[in-house]
């Protein structure tokens, strides 16, 4: 593995392949895989990740917004792309780039039909989203008749899938709630298919749903965090390989005398002689201020060096008093060990948040394949 000479997010494509295959090993042979590559593939660079997964014959991609789908098309992605949360203002471009919208209420359904009509589409693929308990986006069960009568009135669109999203698939103490959601989805989707007279695909599970509720895989599953190396439980984390490693280097070492302070607002006051290292990564790179003042840590020579004082925009200072290291040495923020999940836990955060927070300023590099 190359030693970092500047702050770098290293993306391990072999780990991505391993995670993809591990998820597939949990599925029946005919179950399709949708890879969620929103938010720059959870920070890992959507173009590279999507092109790699396309070569591995992934069935579908999903992004949150239309602009993210456009970026995939620009990068040569020809696999179907579901846009989870499109806004009507982008519908013309969405159609133009062959992206497939999730339609989640009457307003957006009507708006989409009217743009599909205006642009003279026939059977344009759309995905109908139902709310079964997350209470975020989606039609409700009593909307079914209304949607069906709209659909029977037009040949502009055709429902390619019916889907919903679980609220607590990773939390086994909520298993009975999740089972209620699964049953609700099952009932709604089956009634819906019967009424429209054809059978769209059905999908419900995110990564934790895939792992914890094999009875709910239906025709397709949607995996995000699993692809990037996290199983949302101690047991499952062992079966995944973190894809992203955030590395940096020591720019400068200081000896801080008793009574001196470090950083903005003099937030760290030295009570004894300490050795500090300044690292070129800050809150503008995604390491939020909440990691400062002893909460977060970096790893140097395998040892934890706590972040002292306030996180600056472009730098952090860490305590290396107990570590034998020099200027130019490599610094690990997270990766295979410690993982992003461990790193994030110091601020009560989760893997999802820290990996998607690493800003576009941080250089990405790729290993494996
Ligand atoms: C982000 C998202 C996913 C992916 O969830 P993971 O927990 O990362 O696997 C799946 N479905 C929907 C609707 C999402 O918004």
């Amino acid at each position: 593995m190359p030693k970092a000479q500047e702050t770098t997010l290293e993306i391990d494509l072999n780990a991505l392949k391993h995670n993809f295959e591990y998820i597939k090993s949990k599925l029946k042979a005919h179950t399709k895989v949708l890879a969620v590559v929103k938010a720059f593939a959870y920070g890992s660079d959507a173009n590279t990740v999507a092109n790699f997964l396309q070569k591995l014959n992934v069935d579908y991609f999903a992004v949150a917004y239309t602009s993210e789908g456009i970026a995939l098309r620009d990068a040569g992605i020809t696999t179907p792309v579901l846009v989870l949360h499109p806004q009507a203002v982008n519908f013309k471009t969405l159609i133009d780039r062959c992206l497939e919208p999730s339609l989640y209420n009457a307003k957006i359904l009507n708006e989409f039909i009217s743009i599909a009509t205006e642009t003279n589409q026939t059977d344009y693929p759309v995905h109908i989203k139902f709310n079964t308990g997350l209470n975020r986006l989606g039609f409700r069960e009593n909307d079914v008749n209304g949607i069906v009568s709209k659909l029977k009135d037009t040949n502009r669109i055709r429902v390619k899938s019916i889907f919903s999203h679980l609220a607590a698939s990773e939390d086994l103490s909520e298993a009975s709630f999740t089972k209620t959601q699964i049953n609700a989805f099952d009932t709604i989707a089956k009634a819906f298919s019967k009424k429209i007279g054809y059978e769209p695909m059905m999908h419900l599970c995110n990564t934790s749903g895939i792992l914890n509720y094999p009875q709910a895989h239906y025709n397709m599953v949607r995996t995000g965090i699993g692809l990037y190396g996290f199983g949302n439980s101690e047991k499952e984390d062992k079966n995944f390989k973190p894809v992203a490693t955030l590395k940096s280097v020591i720019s400068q070492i200081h000896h801080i005398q008793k009574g001196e302070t470090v950083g903005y607002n003099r937030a760290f006051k030295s009570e004894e002689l300490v050795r500090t290292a300044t690292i070129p990564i800050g809150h503008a790179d995604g390491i939020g201020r909440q990691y400062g003042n002893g909460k977060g840590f970096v790893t140097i020579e395998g040892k934890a060096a706590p972040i002292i004082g306030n996180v600056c925009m472009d730098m952090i200072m860490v305590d290396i008093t107990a570590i034998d290291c020099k200027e130019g040495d490599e610094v690990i923020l997270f990766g295979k060990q410690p993982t992003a999940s461990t790193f994030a836990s110091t601020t009560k955060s989760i893997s999802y948040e820290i990996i998607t927070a690493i800003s576009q300023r941080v250089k990405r590099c790729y290993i494996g394949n």
Side-chain angles (χ1 to χ4, degrees):
M1 258 176 229
K3 288 254 175 205
Q5 294 177 298
E6 62 182 319
T7 300
T8 307
L9 190 72
E10 185 182 273
I11 309 301
D12 180 351
L13 295 171
N14 286 334
L16 179 64
K17 182 162 190 251
H18 165 90
N19 299 331
F20 180 67
E21 282 168 358
Y22 177 69
I23 288 160
K24 287 192 75 149
S25 78
K26 296 282 161 186
L27 307 175
K28 297 204 177 75
H30 60 264
T31 309
K32 291 182 160 52
V33 181
L34 175 153
V36 181
V37 293
K38 63 194 179 192
F40 303 101
Y42 290 39
S44 295
D45 184 309
N47 296 348
T48 309
V49 165
N51 270 300
F52 186 76
L53 291 172
Q54 184 167 270
K55 286 197 196 100
L56 298 179
N57 294 319
V58 71
D59 299 284
Y60 243 94
F61 288 112
V63 291
Y65 304 122
T66 306
S67 57
E68 297 177 306
I70 293 170
L72 291 181
R73 291 287 182 245
D74 286 344
I77 297 300
T78 52
T79 304
V81 177
L82 164 58
V83 181
L84 293 164
H85 195 181
Q87 278 78 48
V89 64
N90 302 312
F91 279 163
K92 275 209 176 102
T93 341
L94 179 143
I95 290 175
D96 197 42
R97 305 307 300 271
C98 295
L99 305 167
E100 304 177 5
S102 157
L103 302 176
Y104 52 84
N105 66 6
K107 182 171 188 287
I108 203 128
L109 173 64
N110 291 337
E111 285 167 329
F112 194 76
I113 292 173
S114 95
I115 303 289
T117 307
E118 220 176 281
T119 55
N120 208 20
Q121 308 298 319
T122 310
D123 289 341
Y124 195 90
V126 303
H127 303 260
I128 303 288
K129 171 91 178 266
F130 282 97
N131 171 25
T132 53
L134 179 59
N135 292 323
R136 193 170 71 173
L137 286 180
F139 287 102
R140 291 192 177 241
E141 185 166 13
N142 59 13
D143 295 320
V144 168
N145 289 338
I147 311 167
V148 170
S149 72
K150 281 246 163 61
L151 291 170
K152 288 198 161 158
D153 257 10
T154 179
N155 66 347
R156 296 301 183 185
I157 62 172
R158 186 176 170 93
V159 181
K160 198 154 162 195
S161 85
I162 309 169
F163 75 110
S164 185
H165 195 35
L166 297 171
S169 58
E170 74 279 25
D171 184 353
L172 294 177
S173 73
E174 293 287 1
S176 75
F177 178 82
T178 303
K179 285 175 187 155
T180 313
Q181 268 197 286
I182 295 170
N183 289 337
F185 176 65
D186 206 82
T187 307
I188 296 170
K190 285 177 180 158
F192 186 92
S193 295
K194 210 166 178 188
K195 287 182 177 160
I196 51 170
Y198 56 91
E199 282 188 21
M201 288 195 292
M202 291 166 65
H203 48 108
L204 177 64
C205 286
N206 66 338
T207 301
S208 300
I210 296 167
L211 301 171
N212 295 330
Y213 301 95
Q215 71 274 33
H217 288 176
Y218 295 104
N219 308 98
M220 183 158 80
V221 294
R222 305 185 303 271
T223 179
I225 200 74
L227 289 173
Y228 309 107
F230 299 91
N232 291 339
S233 75
E234 230 172 83
K235 179 172 152 267
E236 281 295 348
D237 277 347
K238 293 199 184 80
N239 297 316
F240 289 92
K241 293 184 180 168
V243 164
T245 297
L246 183 59
K247 299 175 167 186
S248 192
V249 289
I250 298 177
S251 296
Q252 192 175 9
I253 289 177
H254 288 282
H255 293 85
I256 309 295
Q257 304 299 320
K258 180 178 174 181
E260 286 191 299
T261 63
V262 176
Y264 285 130
N265 311 105
R266 308 188 66 202
F268 176 82
K269 290 201 171 56
S270 188
E271 280 162 17
E272 61 198 334
L273 177 69
V274 298
R275 224 158 68 98
T276 67
T278 303
I279 322 289
I281 188 166
H283 62 73
D285 302 291
I287 308 302
R289 277 175 62 93
Q290 66 274 25
Y291 286 91
N293 296 305
K295 286 247 165 64
F297 66 93
V298 304
T299 302
I300 300 170
E301 296 291 330
K303 292 189 179 130
I307 300 172
I308 59 172
N310 288 318
V311 171
C312 309
M313 189 182 297
D314 315 309
M315 281 169 259
I316 51 175
M317 283 71 88
V318 301
D319 185 344
I320 53 161
T321 309
I323 305 174
D324 181 15
C325 57
K326 58 184 190 307
E327 291 169 353
D329 280 0
E330 186 174 78
V331 176
I332 302 290
L333 286 96
F334 59 75
K336 308 276 190 268
Q337 206 51 253
T339 66
S341 175
T342 305
F343 184 82
S345 69
T346 60
T347 63
K348 297 197 165 60
S349 181
I350 54 174
S351 58
Y352 293 80
E353 186 179 42
I354 189 67
I355 64 175
T356 58
I358 303 312
S359 78
Q360 294 301 301
R361 181 167 80 172
V362 174
K363 185 182 140 193
R364 269 66 176 167
C365 80
Y366 304 91
I367 61 165
N369 250 278

